[in-house]
Amino acid sequence: MTEYAPDHFDVVVIGAGPAGTAAALRAAELGARVAVAEADRLGGTCVNTGCVPTRVLAKAARLMREVRTANTYGIVVADPYIDWATMVDRVQSRVDQVRSIKSEAEHFADAGIELVLEGRARFLDPHSVILDTGRILTADTFLVCVGGHSRRLPVPGAHLATVPEDILNLTELPRRVAVIGAGNTGAQLVTVFNSFGSAVTVLDVAPRILTASDSDISAMVSAAFRQQGVAVHTGIETVTAIEQESDGSLTLSWRENGTAQSSTFDAVVMSTGWPADVDDLGLDKAGITTARSAIPVDLYFRSEVSHIFAVGDANGRDMLVQAAQFEGEAAAENAVLGANRRTPHHLLPAGGFTDPDYAGVGFTEEEARSRDPYCVVATVPYTELDRAVIDGREPGFLKLIADRRRELILGAHATGENAVEVIQSVTTAMAAGVDVATLAGVRFAYPTYSAVIGLTARRLLLEQPTPTR
């Protein structure tokens, strides 16, 4: 191993995914001398094996659903099917295209940031890390932005399951698929495989799917899954084993309602958690203790060692790209200028491209009512939205939640066509401090899905504060 003299920087960022990229660029903008150490691929999980390829699959799933219903418009189409190899090639080409728009390496070079691709960075002490090559980087401040990885359940045969980032490694489209875990990623994969024609079963120990979403969102998406032929098993006690049969199929066993159950599948997908990649960072040498597979931080993203920050998946808070980017910029400012910037996590929209789509921002109704029993809630179903009726996309709704004086929008939740875009528009209004009356007075183009925002805001003005619905 080559001996290196330590290189000193104002800020060393560990990881070049969404959090690390945002953090490094912001720190450089503020005049810091910055280095970014990346052990694998630039762009992180999202671009390479996560949300970007999943979104391409979701687009293909939507096309399949459109083709199957084309005859209702007099468009006669032969029975469609999925050419899996072509699908995989298409996904990879889109990933490559996203990365080619302007790579992280180009951004870093333009900003004067040193990109260090010399393997894993591990702390030697609170102010230095060593790379696999033996090179040592020292810094006044470190930002740990290492991302995460899929968690496999600790059950016999777990290695036989496929994790979401390995979906494209399947050699063919499975006829029967079990998805374990019905959070954002699991639910989207349910829609993808179901739209592709696979027989899908989804299992979760939680009492409902999409537990982080408003309960009405969960109920509508769950009902839609069942109507589409998906077998939904929520509230199961545990998954007990996965066994491979002589024909290559997999038998999944679980306990539900006190009884042992099992079924055979061609693929089992585990979408059961996303712990941070912090186990091999030498954090103990830096004086940092992890908790729940993440680095605990304060409101300014500082760890217990105040010059070491943890951002994005590394701190275990919001496993979302938009959260990681937001936190990265804030943590960089705190690292360079001093701790004074927090991030309003309630203004981070999140959603999924299922069938139907869903999204939300701010407090759920349950959360809002626990804080203020007299908050005001209004819901408008898509059946009252002309654009949804025109498109034949009536399943869906928008729910707005406001304080009792209707001065603040506390939360917004939607399911149905273009739900994510609808919620993004409401997020903009929330961030600008727009009150309900002002939002109700906004004119929306006709016919659009965003018009449901005005409809719901006007209905919200008519609702009376009441502690029960």
Side-chain angles (χ1 to χ4, degrees), residues 31-32 34 39 76 90 103-104 183 328 338 346 349 360 409-410 420-421 448 454 457:
V34 181
V76 180
R90 174 65 178 179
S103 73
E104 289 81 0
H346 69 286
I409 301 169
L410 304 177
V420 179
E421 304 295 338
T448 59

Side-chain angles (χ1 to χ4, degrees), residues 13-352:
V13 178
I14 303 175
T21 298
L25 292 172
R26 184 60 180 142
E29 286 175 359
L30 295 172
R33 183 170 183 248
V34 181
V36 176
E38 171 55 52
D40 193 7
R41 291 174 292 183
L42 301 179
T45 298
C46 176
V47 170
N48 294 291
T49 58
C51 42
V52 170
T54 299
R55 183 65 191 96
V56 181
L57 291 172
K59 168 67 173 180
R62 172 179 288 274
L63 288 173
M64 283 294 288
R65 298 193 299 273
E66 295 283 359
V67 169
R68 290 194 181 107
T69 59
N71 65 323
T72 62
Y73 289 87
I75 303 170
V76 180
V77 181
D79 188 31
Y81 68 94
I82 295 294
D83 181 328
W84 184 249
T86 301
M87 172 73 67
V88 171
D89 289 344
R90 174 65 178 179
V91 172
Q92 190 57 54
S93 74
R94 294 302 87 197
V95 170
D96 293 342
Q97 185 66 25
V98 168
R99 293 194 59 187
S100 72
I101 295 171
K102 188 171 185 182
S103 73
E104 289 81 0
E106 291 175 306
H107 282 299
F108 293 156
D110 291 347
I113 296 167
E114 183 167 343
L115 177 59
V116 184
L117 302 175
E118 299 182 30
R120 186 76 160 169
R122 298 174 178 85
F123 282 95
L124 290 173
D125 57 56
H127 281 283
S128 63
V129 294
I130 186 169
L131 307 172
D132 288 343
T133 59
R135 182 178 178 183
I136 295 173
L137 307 178
T138 64
D140 299 327
T141 304
F142 289 87
L143 280 76
V144 180
C145 310
V146 290
H149 62 275
S150 288
R151 183 176 78 94
R152 293 180 186 269
L153 295 177
V155 299
H159 65 285
L160 298 170
T162 300
V163 292
E165 57 262 43
D166 291 336
I167 290 293
L168 297 179
N169 292 336
L170 294 172
T171 57
E172 60 184 4
L173 178 66
R175 292 185 302 107
R176 303 162 297 177
V177 182
V179 178
I180 305 173
N184 290 339
T185 300
Q188 290 181 95
L189 292 175
V190 167
T191 285
V192 165
F193 283 115
N194 183 64
S195 299
F196 287 173
S198 302
V200 182
T201 298
V202 60
L203 307 96
D204 204 307
V205 296
R208 60 183 176 91
I209 69 171
L210 300 173
T211 54
S213 297
D214 189 272
S215 61
D216 287 343
I217 297 286
S218 173
M220 175 162 276
V221 176
S222 183
F225 281 177
R226 289 187 168 93
Q227 185 177 15
Q228 294 157 12
V230 175
V232 179
H233 297 264
T234 52
I236 71 169
E237 292 151 36
T238 185
V239 171
T240 53
I242 304 173
E243 300 175 276
Q244 189 162 41
E245 306 300 335
S246 58
D247 62 356
S249 63
L250 302 174
T251 296
L252 173 65
S253 301
W254 69 95
R255 290 192 63 81
E256 184 176 3
N257 297 324
T259 62
Q261 299 193 33
S262 65
S263 190
T264 301
F265 302 93
D266 300 299
V268 174
V269 179
M270 276 192 184
S271 182
T272 50
W274 188 257
D277 283 327
V278 296
D279 291 341
D280 190 28
L281 287 178
L283 292 173
D284 56 328
K285 294 182 179 179
I288 294 175
T289 304
T290 61
R292 299 173 63 86
S293 300
I295 300 173
V297 295
D298 64 12
L299 294 174
Y300 304 98
F301 309 105
R302 296 175 300 192
S303 71
E304 60 190 303
V305 178
S306 62
H307 69 276
I308 300 177
F309 295 71
V311 181
D313 295 347
N315 65 36
R317 289 185 173 180
D318 292 295
M319 308 299 193
L320 300 167
V321 170
Q322 56 269 39
Q325 293 169 330
F326 204 23
E327 291 180 3
E329 292 180 359
E333 292 182 15
N334 293 334
V336 176
L337 303 176
N340 55 31
R341 181 179 171 188
R342 306 179 185 184
T343 58
H345 279 251
H346 69 286
L347 287 179
L348 285 169

